[in-house]
Amino acid sequence: MKVGTIEVDDIRNRCAAIAIHTSLREGPCSPFELGQFYRYLLQRQLWTSQGELAKDLGASTASVSRALSINKIPDEIVSIVGGPTRMSYRLAKGIIDLIEILGAEIVAQNAVRLAFDPLRSNNDLLTALATGQDLATSGSVQLTLDPSGRFIRVKSLYLDDLVKQLPTIEALINWSIKALSNTKESDARTYATKAVLEAKRKGALAAHADLSAKANLPALGRLYLDMLRQGVWASRRAISADLGVSRGMIQRRIALAMLPDEVVAAFGGYEFMSSRTVKAVEGVLASIGAEQIKANAVKMSFEAKRSVAKTLAFLATGTPPS
């Protein structure tokens, strides 16, 4: 059996399957063909579940499940699409929705009535699969708005056939309206979200410039953390690229921002804490917890002549340095 251009018969073990899967994903392999490959592996019982298969192949369970569902589309429909290589995720989703509304048998029968047309759009193809008539080429249906603005007139050479299918047509129109509405709502939410995040990003850039001028390192760290939580920047790498600040500097500022105020006071302030000192304090924090290190810190007052090592020892043990 071939999947794409790769022969997959007689796969003897998981290692061979994983290697072939890597080649398929790197090459021009359609979702339908991936589903065909996943089904073959499960039938050979190289894996016993979709979850286990997805984990070992480095794919998400959802993508494996989706590819398997696409592979269930009847051959008659796959043929009218133009073959497995032309079956995209979006087109497959539309076909699966049609099958849920009309049933696989009806959609397959409609596909048999059609001829493959490489210039046919996906929307026209879905309409043709729903009706069994290639409206894109025949122009057999025309819709016009009634002068009252309250009704839509239907003109067709096949009106008798359409009347017989009114329940199906009604279901398809309702499905189309719902799909269009969901698309518009999704686009509106996406646009609004992007606009909000961009406004927050501009505010963060202005705040960053102000805090940088004041050399307020912990406040900069708190700014980074806040923007990461709000999704303004997706990662510390993104912060670095956007602000032109090294990732090491960003990490140090975030680490400073996360230190308890009591601990910082024990060293005389942020300006007296080197990167090495901050890392050492982080080790103590991880060992005894934030509450204990704060309790130890409030027992001691800052002394400029006290070494960093003695301060760290006191924070770790709560025992005053000799």
Side-chain angles (χ1 to χ4, degrees):
M1 180 183 73
K2 271 192 173 183
V3 175
T5 59
I6 299 177
E7 186 67 47
V8 300
D9 280 335
D10 299 326
I11 296 178
R12 299 185 181 279
N13 53 54
R14 292 185 177 188
C15 289
I18 292 170
I20 291 176
H21 181 257
T22 300
S23 298
L24 289 173
R25 295 185 72 175
E26 290 176 350
C29 184
S30 72
F32 185 92
E33 291 170 314
L34 276 177
Q36 184 181 22
F37 181 61
Y38 297 151
R39 192 171 304 284
Y40 170 78
L41 297 179
L42 291 170
Q43 288 172 346
R44 286 285 306 275
Q45 294 189 334
L46 288 174
W47 283 273
T48 57
S49 71
Q50 293 183 28
E52 185 184 27
L53 173 69
K55 181 179 179 181
D56 286 352
L57 293 183
S60 69
T61 303
S63 66
V64 170
S65 177
R66 183 171 53 182
L68 286 168
S69 67
I70 292 173
N71 189 246
K72 291 181 181 178
I73 294 174
D75 292 340
E76 298 89 342
I77 301 174
V78 176
S79 177
I80 205 64
V81 168
T85 59
R86 295 175 66 93
M87 185 70 75
S88 67
Y89 278 121
R90 175 174 291 186
L91 178 57
K93 175 65 168 59
I95 292 172
I96 291 170
D97 287 345
L98 275 181
I99 289 173
E100 288 180 358
I101 295 171
L102 304 178
E105 185 176 351
I106 291 177
V107 180
Q109 288 174 356
N110 289 344
V112 171
R113 301 191 185 116
L114 305 172
F116 169 63
D117 181 358
L119 300 179
R120 185 193 287 122
S121 70
N122 286 351
N123 286 337
D124 287 342
L125 175 59
L126 290 172
T127 302
L129 288 173
T131 62
Q133 297 177 12
D134 201 343
L135 305 182
T137 56
S138 67
S140 58
V141 172
Q142 291 181 343
L143 302 179
T144 57
L145 187 65
D146 183 87
S148 68
R150 299 177 57 194
F151 305 100
I152 293 176
R153 290 178 173 176
V154 179
K155 182 179 180 180
S156 174
L157 298 174
Y158 307 100
L159 195 58
D160 290 341
D161 292 333
L162 293 178
V163 169
K164 294 176 184 178
Q165 299 293 330
L166 279 181
T168 298
I169 294 172
E170 182 181 20
L172 289 170
I173 291 175
N174 285 327
W175 166 71
S176 299
I177 292 173
K178 182 179 179 182
L180 181 61
S181 176
N182 289 341
T183 299
K184 287 183 177 179
E185 289 177 5
S186 176
D187 289 344
R189 286 194 299 269
T190 299
Y191 179 80
T193 300
K194 287 182 178 178
V196 170
L197 290 178
E198 181 57 25
K200 289 183 177 180
R201 174 183 170 272
K202 289 181 179 179
L205 292 176
H208 183 267
D210 181 56
L211 293 171
S212 295
K214 297 175 181 177
N216 194 333
L217 303 186
L220 283 167
R222 285 189 286 271
L223 174 67
Y224 301 153
L225 287 172
D226 189 37
M227 293 301 100
L228 285 170
R229 292 190 190 101
Q230 295 185 47
V232 175
W233 287 302
S235 65
R236 297 178 187 188
R237 182 190 295 271
I239 298 175
S240 174
D242 203 14
L243 298 181
V245 179
S246 71
R247 275 187 286 168
M249 184 64 72
I250 289 169
Q251 177 61 37
R252 184 187 173 213
R253 292 171 180 177
I254 288 176
L256 281 171
M258 296 177 70
L259 295 180
D261 291 339
E262 298 87 344
V263 173
V264 174
F267 289 93
Y270 292 104
E271 61 271 26
F272 298 108
M273 301 185 69
S274 67
S275 298
R276 182 175 296 180
T277 300
V278 172
K279 188 166 290 187
V281 172
E282 287 179 324
V284 176
L285 265 169
S287 176
I288 66 175
E291 293 305 316
Q292 185 60 57
I293 197 173
K294 285 194 290 185
N296 292 344
V298 297
K299 296 177 185 177
M300 63 190 302
S301 57
F302 170 66
E303 293 181 14
K305 294 182 179 181
R306 184 171 54 226
S307 69
V308 170
K310 287 184 177 181
T311 302
L312 287 169
F314 185 91
L315 291 174
T317 64
T319 302
S322 57

